[in-house]
Amino acid sequence: MNLTPLAGTPTIPLARPYLGREEEEAAAAVLRSGWLSQGPRVADFERAFADYVSAQHAVAVSSCTTALHLALLGVGVRTGDEVICPSFSFVATANCIVHTGGAPAFVDIDPETYNLDPRRIEQAITPRTRAIMAVHQVGLPASLDEILKVAKRYGLPVVEDAACAVGARYFGQRIGAPHGLLACFSFHPRKILTTGEGGMITTADPELAARLRRARQHAMSVSDAARHHAQRIVFETYDDVGYNYRMTDLQAAVGLIQLGRLDDLLARRRYLASRYSERLQSFGWLKPPMEPEGLRHNFQSYMVRLTAQAPIGRDALMQELLDRGVCTRRGIMAIHREAPFRNDDWDAKLEVTNEATDHTIILPLFHQMTEDEQDYVIDSIADIAARYG
Ligand SMILES: *Cc1c(COP(=O)(O)O)cnc(C)c1O
């Protein structure tokens, strides 16, 4: 990242991907091979990813947004349908529902975990509800057992927006193992494992996986690879309206290397997150992220909440930190406050979401971050608080 340092102060970015020579060499090998788009490296990455999360099938696509779009289409969401999801999420969670012709039905979150509150799902179900989308926000698994219980009672499929959740665990099992019907991951550079852009869908259902594979590639009846290797001429058919949502072999080659680093990346984030929590907790006005019994956070983002005792407002704190060369972001957005989704009813109903989006802040966290850099962030917060207190 080439940020211009402020005079006399270090510039600490919010996030930074961790890429080495191995990624460069893997990408160069693909360039030399002559097969650039979806091919052998995509197939390798799919197998390795499926193994890592203990899924039967993994389907690579161009992003998590396109993964979620295909997943929703795959479970039958169509025009006029509703999909239950949190508003406290990145806008793509709701956009992909709109892409199918459906509409999001926002349900409030739990104030401790920031994930979908399973106790509020039932009251949001209508005859038009077609699916439930559980988001594992900033890498903390949602309450899957409780969500699946309601879903089962109403015969609704659960699609997991696992964009942030690679390597997170739900009672020992990695997210992406069969919990919901489908789980969708992101490999955007802000996520822990990156391929520049990219996504993955995992499922235990072979028929669904086959349909997703066709849909991502123009609904072509024969794959490029199968046609390329055929000894006799083949004419493909297009039996549906498909999409071009393919991942490239360049991305997959990088993804394979990144997957090999993932456990190290997760361990470092966990160490830095616990270091943050220990110090920030002692301030008495910042609430660190919690990790319920049995769940394992991956700390894709390190998000803290300013409590009522905070000596400074959230936005002023962000500005003061930026003035000291520390980049932060507000906590997760509330989708229902953005123009395409704005509606007074949502605003009145989603109290916990409104409260969380106004009082949370994401602090810098990345693999290469040094203890000195982290101490600078923590000391800056203490210093700002002392001046305002
Ligand atoms: C990042 C993110 C997405 C979108 O992922 P892309 O790969 O950028 O399309 C969707 N949902 C959530 C919760 C995210 O954090």
Side-chain angles (χ1 to χ4, degrees):
M1 213 171 275
N2 289 314
L3 295 172
T4 317
L6 300 174
T9 55
T11 297
I12 302 180
L14 184 76
R16 174 179 260 175
Y18 185 74
L19 299 156
R21 279 294 283 278
E22 294 86 347
E23 280 86 348
E24 287 176 28
E25 279 157 19
V30 171
L31 287 173
R32 290 186 207 110
S33 80
W35 192 298
L36 302 188
S37 192
Q38 181 186 293
R41 292 292 83 78
V42 167
D44 293 344
F45 186 36
E46 288 177 337
R47 260 190 306 274
F49 193 88
D51 284 351
Y52 183 80
V53 303
S54 303
Q56 281 79 354
H57 308 278
V59 180
V61 289
S62 54
S63 71
C64 186
T65 305
T66 57
L68 290 166
H69 184 207
L70 288 190
L72 292 174
L73 291 173
V75 301
V77 179
R78 295 292 181 270
T79 301
D81 291 343
E82 290 173 2
V83 177
I84 286 174
C85 68
S87 166
F88 191 73
S89 189
F90 184 56
V91 70
T93 300
N95 281 344
C96 63
I97 301 170
V98 176
H99 295 330
T100 68
F106 295 124
V107 166
D108 217 348
I109 52 168
D110 179 285
E112 300 294 319
T113 65
Y114 306 109
N115 278 324
L116 210 49
D117 184 344
R119 293 162 302 186
R120 298 176 191 258
I121 292 175
E122 193 156 10
Q123 68 211 48
I125 294 175
T126 75
R128 289 192 305 205
T129 307
R130 199 65 61 220
I132 298 173
M133 188 135 79
V135 182
H136 307 303
Q137 200 50 263
V138 297
L140 178 69
S143 309
L144 284 166
D145 283 338
E146 290 83 353
I147 293 168
L148 287 163
K149 204 187 283 174
V150 187
K152 198 169 170 198
R153 205 172 325 130
Y154 288 87
L156 295 169
V158 172
V159 172
E160 296 169 60
D161 179 344
C164 304
V166 70
R169 287 172 188 260
Y170 186 79
F171 292 96
Q173 267 199 316
R174 291 199 176 103
I175 292 298
H179 294 116
L181 188 52
L182 297 153
C184 302
F185 295 85
S186 172
F187 305 133
H188 182 273
R190 269 288 300 278
K191 309 299 164 45
I192 299 176
L193 185 168
T194 189
T195 59
E197 296 279 355
M200 191 73 82
I201 313 172
T202 62
T203 183
D205 184 329
E207 198 272 329
L208 196 46
R211 264 194 289 142
L212 295 170
R213 284 180 201 290
R214 281 194 300 276
R216 74 173 165 186
Q217 174 153 265
H218 309 288
M220 204 189 292
S221 62
V222 185
S223 76
D224 290 342
R227 204 165 41 168
H228 181 73
H229 295 295
Q231 298 301 310
R232 308 187 72 93
I233 60 165
V234 192
F235 294 123
E236 77 287 6
T237 60
Y238 302 85
D239 305 324
D240 226 324
V241 176
Y243 300 85
N244 177 359
Y245 284 172
R246 283 177 298 228
M247 176 181 277
T248 67
D249 261 22
L250 277 162
Q251 293 167 310
V254 170
L256 274 163
I257 306 292
Q258 288 266 292
L259 190 60
R261 299 190 192 278
L262 186 54
D263 287 337
D264 281 348
L265 300 179
L266 292 167
R268 178 74 185 163
R269 298 187 87 83
R270 199 166 184 81
Y271 167 71
L272 291 171
S274 70
R275 218 168 162 273
Y276 259 143
S277 292
E278 203 181 303
R279 292 244 358 238
L280 297 178
Q281 181 111 48
S282 73
F283 293 0
W285 55 273
L286 281 175
K287 194 171 172 312
M290 63 104 73
E291 196 175 47
E293 189 75 33
L295 273 52
R296 204 166 167 86
H297 210 309
N298 70 1
F299 299 103
Q300 177 271 331
S301 288
Y302 185 83
M303 182 170 73
V304 291
R305 183 198 293 247
L306 280 73
T307 68
Q309 288 76 45
I312 181 173
R314 192 268 313 265
D315 299 0
L317 175 61
M318 289 177 67
Q319 186 61 54
E320 289 279 350
L321 283 168
L322 188 59
D323 293 346
R324 287 163 168 77
V326 176
C327 296
T328 62
R329 292 284 182 276
R330 62 174 173 169
I332 302 303
M333 62 186 291
I335 301 174
H336 74 275
R337 287 183 175 177
E338 299 302 320
F341 302 97
R342 206 174 295 151
N343 165 328
D344 291 342
D345 283 353
W346 291 133
D347 211 52
K349 269 186 209 156
L350 301 168
E351 281 177 50
V352 184
T353 296
N354 286 333
E355 213 280 326
T357 201
D358 287 339
H359 296 104
T360 49
I361 176 171
I362 294 176
L363 298 179
L365 180 64
F366 47 93
H367 189 75
Q368 310 88 312
M369 187 182 207
T370 63
E371 280 92 338
D372 283 351
E373 285 176 317
Q374 189 178 36
D375 287 343
Y376 179 78
V377 175
I378 297 166
D379 294 343
S380 297
I381 295 172
D383 182 52
I384 293 162
R387 287 207 303 110
Y388 277 76

